[in-house]
């Protein structure tokens, strides 16, 4: 007995039939296949073909569902990145109009560059994910996977470095750096402008308190001032009598709480929310990498 595969006219599933060697020899002499009436159906081969076809159909449905889910997910990422990018560009193009809005919070103007960086990254990420999924482009999916992997590894490295260098985030370390490098009202120095923004935003003065400015670089540059103007209360303004009394040492018109305690108290309020958000982001990144790689391997 010999096996000759035939194909059903309504299906691509091969139908294997058994027939005699004599029929094969006679058909080979005539150059024809043996008559269908002389063929005998192989039930096992048909069953295997049906199972294979059903498995292929289910795999195709899963890949199709994964493709559209990935497209929808990355489309929202694309919209979010576009919005952040637009806000950042608007602030840079029209700084005077935005300055009135953020006058009470100087850190927002510095955060514009952070918004621009995040918006650009999310924009690129959403674009690669959407185009790679809907067009089934293996190259774009690979770039999407590599970008997600890079972000994931960067976050992991930041967490490890923060844990390893946690001893440098002490109150004594910040006090020592403040005394060495803080210059007062100097907007060109990054260290000074950052500390001015922190003290203005959190209504604090120094690291542990106003006494941090004793025997500091600030006192050498401004001997007549006990504390910088950033330590003064917000209802004061340059040239006001209260500002002069504040910088001369009056405790009534200045903030006496240290910035270390103020920042720690502020972030302790949102520590659980931040932890939960970090876990959610890492989980989404892992699923995005798995979906991208599954879709990459499923594309023929």
């Amino acid at each position: 007995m010999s096996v000759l595969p035939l194909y059903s006219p309504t299906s691509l599933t091969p139908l294997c039939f058994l027939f005699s060697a004599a029929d094969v020899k006679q058909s080979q002499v005539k150059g024809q296949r043996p008559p269908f009436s002389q063929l005998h159906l192989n039930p096992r081969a048909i069953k295997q073909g049906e199972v294979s076809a059903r498995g292929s159909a289910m795999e195709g449905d899963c890949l199709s569902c994964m493709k559209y889910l990935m497209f929808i997910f990355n489309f929202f990422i694309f919209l979010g990145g576009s919005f952040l990018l637009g806000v950042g560009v608007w602030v840079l193009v029209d700084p005077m109009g935005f300055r009135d809005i953020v006058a009470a919070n100087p850190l927002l103007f510095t955060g514009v560059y952070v918004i621009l960086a995040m918006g650009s990254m999310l924009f690129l990420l959403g674009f690669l994910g959407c185009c790679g999924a809907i067009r089934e482009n293996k190259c774009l999916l690979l770039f999407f996977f590599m970008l997600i992997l890079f972000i994931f590894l960067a976050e992991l490295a930041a967490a490890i470095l923060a844990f390893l260098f946690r001893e440098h985030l002490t109150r004594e370390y910040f006090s020592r750096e403040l005394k060495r490098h803080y210059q007062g009202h100097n907007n060109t120095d990054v260290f000074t402008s950052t500390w001015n923004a922190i003290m203005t935003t959190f209504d604090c003065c120094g690291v542990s308190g106003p006494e941090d400015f004793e025997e500091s670089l600030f006192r050498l540059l401004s001997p007549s001032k006990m504390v910088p103007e950033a330590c003064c209360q917000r209802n004061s303004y340059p040239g006001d009598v209260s500002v002069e009394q504040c910088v001369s040492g009056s405790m009534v018109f200045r903030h006496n709480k240290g910035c270390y305690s103020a920042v720690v108290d502020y972030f302790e309020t949102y520590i659980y929310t931040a932890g939960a958000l970090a876990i959610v982001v890492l989980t989404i990144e892992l699923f995005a990498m798995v979906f991208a790689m599954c879709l990459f391997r499923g594309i023929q």
Side-chain angles (χ1 to χ4, degrees):
M1 303 292 287
S2 302
V3 180
L4 178 65
L6 295 179
Y7 290 86
S8 170
T10 60
S11 173
L12 295 178
T13 304
L15 303 178
C16 296
F17 296 91
L18 299 179
F19 48 89
S20 64
D23 292 333
V24 175
K25 184 175 182 181
Q26 182 179 0
S27 300
Q28 288 176 348
V29 172
K30 295 181 179 180
Q32 301 175 351
R33 291 178 178 268
F36 189 80
S37 59
Q38 299 179 8
L39 301 179
H40 303 281
L41 197 60
N42 188 343
R44 179 178 297 179
I46 293 179
K47 186 176 181 180
Q48 291 178 352
E50 290 177 350
V51 171
S52 177
R54 192 180 301 114
S56 300
M58 291 180 62
E59 183 180 356
D61 293 339
C62 289
L63 287 176
S64 179
C65 179
M66 190 180 301
K67 178 179 74 172
Y68 288 109
L69 284 176
M70 188 172 175
F71 173 80
I72 294 173
F73 172 74
N74 284 282
F75 181 72
F76 284 110
I77 292 180
F78 178 80
L79 291 180
S82 302
F83 175 76
L84 291 179
L85 200 59
V87 170
V89 172
W90 170 68
V91 172
L92 291 181
V93 172
D94 187 24
M96 296 301 297
F98 189 71
R99 189 172 299 159
D100 296 334
I101 301 175
V102 298
N105 195 344
L107 275 182
L108 287 179
F109 196 81
T110 306
V112 168
Y113 297 100
V114 178
I115 292 177
L116 275 174
M118 290 181 60
S120 302
M121 182 183 65
L122 292 177
F123 181 87
L124 178 61
L125 196 64
F127 175 79
L128 291 175
C130 286
C131 293
I134 203 65
R135 299 187 62 181
E136 297 185 359
N137 190 306
K138 301 184 74 171
C139 182
L140 292 179
L141 287 174
L142 184 60
F143 275 119
F144 175 82
F145 175 83
M146 293 177 63
L147 184 58
I148 289 282
L149 182 62
F150 174 77
I151 296 173
F152 181 81
L153 293 178
E155 293 171 347
L156 188 62
I160 294 174
L161 289 176
F163 177 78
L164 293 177
F165 293 96
R166 64 189 183 278
E167 64 273 7
H168 293 287
L169 303 178
T170 60
R171 189 189 302 264
E172 292 75 16
Y173 172 79
F174 287 117
S175 298
R176 185 169 60 253
E177 293 297 312
L178 181 69
K179 290 183 177 181
R180 289 179 179 177
H181 304 292
Y182 183 78
Q183 301 178 16
H185 194 68
N186 185 356
N187 295 326
T188 59
D189 182 64
V190 177
F191 184 89
T192 301
S193 59
T194 301
W195 265 106
N196 285 335
I198 292 174
M199 290 187 289
T200 305
T201 302
F202 293 97
D203 295 334
C204 55
C205 185
V207 177
S208 301
E211 62 274 5
D212 288 335
F213 294 101
E214 299 176 0
E215 299 180 357
S216 64
L217 177 63
F218 166 74
R219 292 296 303 277
L220 292 177
L221 297 175
S222 304
S224 61
K225 296 180 179 181
M226 301 296 293
V227 294
E229 294 182 5
C231 289
C232 299
Q233 297 179 3
R234 289 188 182 181
N235 54 1
S236 307
Y237 52 89
D240 190 12
V241 177
S242 59
V243 176
E244 296 179 358
Q245 293 178 351
C246 169
V247 297
S248 62
S250 175
M251 300 177 60
V252 179
F253 301 101
R254 75 185 184 193
H255 300 293
N256 297 295
K257 185 177 182 179
C259 291
Y260 190 90
S261 300
V263 173
V264 169
D265 293 343
Y266 178 81
F267 282 104
E268 278 183 350
T269 308
Y270 304 99
I271 187 66
Y272 295 106
T273 304
L277 183 61
I279 294 175
V280 170
V281 170
L282 291 176
T283 304
I284 291 175
E285 290 175 354
L286 286 175
F287 274 103
M289 287 191 290
V290 172
F291 278 18
M293 189 49 60
C294 289
L295 196 58
F296 176 84
R297 296 185 55 135
I299 296 175
Q300 300 297 329

